[in-house]
């Protein structure tokens, strides 16, 4: 299948403004997904629960992503792209406003689930719109550009949101996300061109993707392989303080470096994907496994640890972009479900990696052990990818 690039040609300035609008939505999504991790103590105090219980708000958001991605894709394939993007960002703003207003723990859990529902569908449709605005052969960099929203959020929005939440109260972070959601609605309405939906598509057509072996293998590659990144990243703060021996004030420095490197990896992954999606998947997956294995050793020293974290971020973010393109390719005519399910797979990876990393720490193997778990998961993802490549070559013959 050929990705639908070049469906609509725009003047350079108009295209740039459209990308700015789409990236803005990604920034809001990135902030609301990751800022909760930095504000768990404040959230726990605010709704009168323990910190582990407050952590379930992160899980509630992830469940919303996993559930919402296929539902949006199945329902939105025939609808105008811009209109669906507007609805999704309105829902995103409402979910974050309700999170800020939540009076109890239960209502906060429900609001976080609601805020997660638009996540996968937004990035899916934004990716399809992006590849429709660029010339043929630039679809990879178009998707990579849209995906810059999350690393930008990790560099700027998440640190600012965490700081503001600690000073002004945790609810201010979710209010900020709601405002970004409304701003995105305005910018999309102004700058993103109209794209008609696929009139011949139906939910039955989209469901056919689940009958493709390559589709499942791509999902499994992401859900298992990318779990390796989350196994390490979920416990990066105690690793820096307990293993590297640095003061906790260095944790934001490492997170900032990770975010900056993710921007580079997202940009690079998009351009390498225009060269070859499958080769880029193999390269970024291998780089993830090697860098995670290296961090098991380098985490004991400050500068080597920082450099290795940057390598992990570059490899991981490049992997995300390429997986998105791979799913869009192997889904056949079900492009929307293909683009959306990448984010379901990544949130499954989030849960799997954090859980397995926590198991080895609880078992007494220390904070270096999650890096070994991460390397093992990345290798497992590469084995799944290898199976996919063998089938691909057999089909070509």
């Amino acid at each position: 299948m050929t990705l639908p690039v070049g469906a609509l040609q725009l003047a350079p300035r108009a295209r740039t403004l459209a990308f700015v609008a789409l990236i803005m939505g990604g920034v809001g999504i990135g902030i609301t997904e990751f800022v909760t991790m930095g504000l768990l103590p404040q959230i726990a105090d605010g709704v009168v629960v323990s910190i582990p219980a407050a952590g379930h708000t992160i899980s509630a958001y992830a469940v919303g992503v996993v559930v919402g991605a296929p539902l949006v894709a199945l329902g939105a394939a025939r609808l105008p792209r811009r209109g669906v993007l507007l609805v999704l960002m309105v829902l995103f703003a409402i979910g974050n406003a309700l999170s800020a207003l939540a009076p109890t723990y239960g209502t906060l859990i429900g609001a976080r689930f609601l805020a997660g529902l638009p996540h996968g569908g937004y990035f899916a449709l934004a990716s399809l719109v992006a590849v429709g605005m660029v010339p043929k052969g630039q679809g990879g960099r178009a998707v990579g550009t849209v995906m810059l929203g999350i690393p930008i959020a990790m560099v700027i929005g998440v640190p600012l949101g965490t700081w503001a939440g600690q000073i002004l109260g945790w609810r201010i972070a979710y209010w900020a996300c709601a405002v970004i959601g409304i701003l995105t609605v305005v910018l999309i309405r102004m700058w993103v061109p109209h794209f008609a939906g696929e009139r011949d598509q139906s939910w039955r057509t989209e469901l056919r993707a689940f009958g493709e072996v390559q589709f499942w293998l791509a999902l499994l590659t992401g859900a298992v392989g990318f779990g390796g990144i989350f196994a390490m990243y979920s416990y990066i703060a105690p690793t820096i303080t307990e293993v590297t021996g640095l003061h906790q004030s260095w944790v934001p420095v490492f997170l900032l470096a990770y975010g900056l490197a993710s921007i580079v990896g997202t940009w690079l992954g998009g351009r390498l994907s225009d060269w070859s999606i499958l080769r880029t998947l193999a390269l970024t997956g291998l780089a993830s496994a090697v860098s995670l294995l290296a961090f098991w050793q380098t985490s004991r020293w400050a500068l080597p640890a920082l450099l290795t974290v940057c390598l992990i971020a570059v490899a991981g973010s490049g992997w995300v972009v390429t997986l998105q393109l791979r799913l869009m390719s192997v889904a056949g005519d079900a492009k929307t479900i293909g683009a959306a399910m990448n984010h379901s797979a990544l949130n499954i990876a989030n849960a799997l990696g954090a859980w397995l990393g926590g198991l080895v720490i609880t078992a007494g193997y220390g904070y270096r052990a999650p890096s070994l778990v991460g390397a093992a998961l990345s290798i497992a993802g590469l084995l799944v990818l290898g199976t996919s490549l063998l089938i691909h070559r057999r089909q070509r013959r």
Side-chain angles (χ1 to χ4, degrees), residues 30-46:
I31 295 173
T32 201
E33 182 176 17
F34 291 102
V35 77
T36 305
M37 300 173 187
L39 293 174
L40 279 183
Q42 290 77 19
I43 293 172
D45 289 340

Side-chain angles (χ1 to χ4, degrees), residues 243-246 250 254 295 298-309:
V243 178
T244 315
L246 298 174
W250 277 92
F254 274 73
F295 190 65
T298 62
S299 58
R300 293 177 291 180
W301 307 287
L303 183 58
L306 183 63
L307 293 175
T308 310
V309 163

Side-chain angles (χ1 to χ4, degrees), residues 7-28:
L8 177 65
Q9 296 300 316
L10 300 175
R13 182 176 182 275
R15 185 185 303 129
T16 299
L17 292 176
F19 273 115
V20 168
L22 296 174
I23 291 170
M24 181 63 70
V27 170

